[in-house]
């Protein structure tokens, strides 16, 4: 019965104490706010970058890995070192019937001729997948739909536009059925994506362009092959080969991404067994030279393998926490200074019957109030930092946001930081000897 009223009383005292020595209070609050803002904004970005981009099916999406590199300069102890597939293997996987869905894809970069005379021609990054890509990665549509399976089969000149590109070319109108020219060929628009701004990790996850902020158009993989569109992005070819389109279909170039989707995560073992058998048959035919093991990566494993969240990002998080610790040390010094001038107040309270525990609780609640105010200010600063990051890099716009977990974390971190910083000063305040203080007063 006594704790709640006393806590309320101490909380009010803590709020009043903010007005005592306002310069010192402002320094404490600002020190905590800067430390918390730096930590939380960095942690938010790391959390968003390393989180599961498609949690509802991440354990059912798999990247197959079959190493088709040359034997020269390679030993079995090296393990597989080509992360993408050659055309022959990817095409065989597409025809295999394995899994519930399959998609093959590669990035392209093509000139676009707008249907409007007031817009000059420009180049745009795109992705050339097969039709299942849209269903596999839950891509939302604003207008129209994906192209048909028949379009995949015949390499039809059809295109799905990103929303930004659609609005640039056609305004707010529905462009389905209209035509644009890409790479010198007329394409019929069959769909427009709704706002779909997957995080930058998503682009490396699905093999998208690393040069633009998003994929601006999507065309069938078979169409890109028919028009001999060059590859946009990284590619491994043997040293003496020119990475032009004529060589992309060679088994010596690895340049394509492939994904399987199974009906359940339990089908992984069956798919792995099929992949092992496939590689064994290809070695017997002499296609695969290396005796490297085959692998399947689910979404999170693939992100880890591709180091989507690099060591530099993790190091930044540690540095931010180090900065928070530095801010805590400064806060401890400021609290020591703040509480030391209140020794006479503590002595009078002790003389009137207050225990050391009561004094400890009072001062600890006061430090918690400082942390709460610092948390509010830190939240404002964190929002500002994330907004600035979003404005500076559009590709980071989806990352630079804070969910409710981060909001809660901001307050918890700030209050805990203030309480931790206040333990020593509060303990020191409790050691005041009442008799000495009363005599001096």
């Amino acid at each position: 019965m006594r704790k709640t009223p006393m806590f309320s009383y101490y909380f009010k005292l803590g709020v009043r104490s903010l007005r005592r020595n306002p310069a010192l209070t402002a320094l404490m609050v600002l020190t905590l706010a800067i430390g918390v803002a730096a930590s939380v904004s960095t942690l938010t970005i790391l959390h968003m970058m390393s989180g599961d981009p498609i949690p509802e099916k991440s354990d059912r999406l798999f990247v197959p890995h079959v190493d088709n590199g040359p034997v020269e300069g390679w030993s079995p102890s090296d393990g597989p070192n080509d992360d993408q597939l050659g055309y022959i293997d990817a095409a065989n996987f597409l025809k295999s019937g394995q899994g519930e869905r399959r998609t093959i894809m590669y990035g392209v970069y093509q000139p676009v001729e707008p249907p409007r005379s007031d817009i000059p021609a420009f180049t745009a990054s795109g992705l050339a997948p097969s039709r299942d890509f849209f269903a596999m990665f839950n891509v939302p549509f604003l207008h129209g739909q994906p192209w048909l399976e028949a379009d995949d089969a015949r390499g039809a000149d059809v295109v799905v536009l990103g929303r930004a590109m659609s609005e640039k070319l056609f305004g707010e109108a529905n462009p389905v059925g209209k035509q644009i020219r890409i790479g010198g060929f007329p394409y019929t628009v069959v769909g427009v994506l709704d706002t779909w701004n997957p995080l930058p990790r998503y682009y490396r996850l699905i093999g998208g362009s690393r040069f633009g902020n998003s994929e601006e158009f999507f065309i069938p993989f078979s169409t890109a092959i028919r028009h001999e569109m060059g590859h946009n992005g990284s590619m491994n070819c043997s040293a003496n080969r020119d990475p032009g389109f004529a060589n992309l279909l060679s088994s010596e170039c690895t340049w394509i991404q492939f994904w399987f989707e199974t009906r359940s995560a339990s089908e992984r073992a069956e798919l792995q067994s099929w992949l092992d058998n496939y590689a064994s048959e290809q070695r017997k035919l002499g296609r695969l030279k290396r005796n490297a093991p085959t692998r399947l990566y689910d979404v999170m494993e693939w992100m880890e393998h591709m180091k989507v969240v690099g060591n530099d990002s993790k190091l930044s998080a540690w540095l931010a926490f180090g900065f928070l610790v530095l801010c805590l040390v400064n806060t401890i010094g400021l609290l020591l200074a703040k509480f030391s001038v209140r020794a006479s107040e503590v002595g009078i309270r002790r003389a009137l019957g207050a225990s050391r525990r009561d004094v400890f609780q009072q001062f600890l609640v006061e430090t918690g109030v400082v942390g709460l105010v610092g948390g509010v200010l830190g939240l404002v600063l964190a929002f500002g930092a994330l907004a600035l990051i979003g404005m500076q890099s559009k590709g980071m716009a989806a990352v630079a946001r804070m969910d409710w977990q981060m909001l809660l974390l901001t307050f918890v971190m700030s209050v805990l930081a203030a309480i931790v910083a206040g333990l020593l000063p509060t303990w020191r305040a409790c050691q005041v000897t009442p008799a000495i203080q009363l005599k001096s007063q």
Side-chain angles (χ1 to χ4, degrees):
M1 294 295 293
R2 180 173 175 268
K3 289 184 178 180
T4 300
M6 288 305 296
F7 177 83
S8 176
Y9 173 68
Y10 291 154
F11 185 83
K12 292 177 181 177
L13 285 179
V15 174
R16 291 178 186 174
S17 73
L18 294 177
R19 296 195 293 267
R20 295 179 182 176
N21 200 334
L24 195 59
T25 300
L27 282 175
M28 284 191 298
V29 170
L30 188 61
T31 300
L32 276 176
I34 292 175
V36 170
S39 300
V40 171
S41 57
T42 305
L43 188 62
T44 298
I45 294 175
L46 184 63
H47 169 71
M48 297 301 294
M49 289 290 292
S50 60
D52 191 341
I54 187 166
E56 63 273 18
K57 57 167 62 176
S58 61
D59 60 348
R60 297 190 289 116
L61 293 170
F62 300 100
V63 175
H65 188 267
V66 176
D67 196 337
N68 66 357
V71 178
E72 294 78 9
W74 177 86
S75 65
S77 61
D78 295 336
N81 59 10
D82 285 335
D83 290 323
Q84 294 179 309
L85 290 175
Y87 174 80
I88 295 175
D89 293 319
N92 288 340
F93 292 166
L94 192 63
K95 295 182 292 186
S96 68
Q98 293 296 312
E100 183 179 20
R101 296 187 181 98
R102 296 158 299 284
T103 188
I104 185 174
M105 67 186 83
Y106 78 108
V108 295
Y109 199 59
Q110 292 291 305
V112 176
E113 301 174 44
R116 296 164 47 182
S117 59
D118 59 324
I119 301 178
F122 59 92
T123 54
S125 61
L127 194 66
S130 51
R131 184 180 188 273
D132 278 351
F133 164 83
F134 299 98
M136 289 174 69
F137 292 97
N138 297 342
V139 182
F141 275 78
L142 178 65
H143 302 298
Q145 60 187 2
W147 52 79
L148 304 175
E149 290 183 9
D151 295 327
D152 267 336
R154 63 190 178 92
D157 290 339
V158 291
V159 62
V160 170
L161 300 178
R163 183 168 184 171
M165 186 168 176
S166 174
E167 291 176 352
K168 178 179 180 178
L169 298 177
F170 301 99
E172 298 294 330
N174 182 352
V176 172
K178 298 181 180 180
Q179 286 195 336
I180 62 172
R181 294 183 69 85
I182 300 176
F185 298 94
Y187 284 76
T188 301
V189 179
V190 296
V192 176
L193 300 190
D194 201 350
T195 301
W196 186 60
N197 194 16
L199 308 181
R201 66 176 185 264
Y202 218 80
Y203 294 121
R204 291 192 68 181
L205 178 69
I206 62 177
S209 167
R210 301 184 189 183
F211 301 105
N213 293 320
S214 64
E215 307 308 337
E216 298 171 277
F217 66 90
F218 299 78
I219 60 174
F221 176 86
S222 53
T223 304
I225 294 297
R226 183 169 63 84
H227 289 312
E228 301 187 354
M229 291 185 179
H231 181 262
N232 178 31
S234 64
M235 175 173 57
N236 255 340
C237 286
S238 59
N240 61 343
R241 295 189 67 92
D242 173 18
F245 180 81
N247 292 325
L248 293 181
L249 303 188
S250 166
S251 62
E252 295 181 43
C253 289
T254 56
W255 58 290
I256 295 172
Q257 274 219 3
F258 194 93
W259 286 82
F260 286 106
E261 180 183 348
T262 60
R263 292 178 179 82
S264 66
S266 62
E267 295 181 15
R268 177 173 185 161
E270 180 182 343
L271 183 58
Q272 179 67 65
S273 177
W274 176 87
L275 189 63
D276 292 339
N277 291 334
Y278 169 84
S280 178
E281 292 176 0
Q282 295 301 310
R283 291 191 191 99
K284 291 178 182 178
L285 294 173
R287 275 202 58 252
L288 299 183
K289 309 297 183 182
R290 298 179 179 179
N291 191 24
T294 62
R295 295 179 182 176
L296 282 178
Y297 298 92
D298 65 20
V299 169
M300 297 305 291
E301 291 168 349
W302 183 243
M303 287 176 60
E304 178 66 25
H305 176 70
M306 294 296 291
K307 299 188 183 303
V308 173
V309 180
N311 292 331
D312 53 342
S313 298
K314 297 176 182 178
L315 179 61
S316 297
W318 283 110
L319 290 176
F321 278 110
F323 183 69
L324 177 61
V325 171
L326 181 62
C327 291
L328 287 181
V329 173
N330 290 331
T331 304
I332 291 174
L334 293 171
L335 285 171
L336 283 170
K338 182 179 177 67
F339 290 166
S340 64
V341 299
R342 298 173 63 185
S344 59
E345 173 192 334
V346 175
I348 294 173
R349 282 208 64 203
R350 292 290 310 280
L352 292 176
S355 66
R356 288 183 175 178
R357 180 180 179 181
D358 292 332
V359 174
F360 188 86
Q361 288 177 345
Q362 175 191 343
F363 279 55
L364 209 58
V365 170
E366 288 189 23
T367 59
V369 172
V370 171
L372 190 62
V373 176
V376 174
L377 182 57
L379 179 62
V380 173
L381 294 177
F383 269 124
L386 293 173
L388 183 62
I389 292 172
M391 288 188 295
Q392 293 294 324
S393 175
K394 293 182 180 179
M396 293 290 289
V399 180
R401 66 174 186 264
M402 194 179 288
D403 56 21
W404 67 269
Q405 293 175 329
M406 293 296 107
L407 293 175
L408 178 62
L409 182 63
T410 300
F411 287 103
V412 172
M413 281 184 63
S414 183
V415 174
L416 285 180
I419 290 175
V420 169
L423 288 176
L424 177 60
T426 300
W427 179 81
R428 288 282 299 273
C430 294
Q431 307 309 308
V432 170
T433 303
I436 295 176
Q437 291 299 322
L438 290 174
K439 182 179 179 179
S440 65
Q441 295 300 315

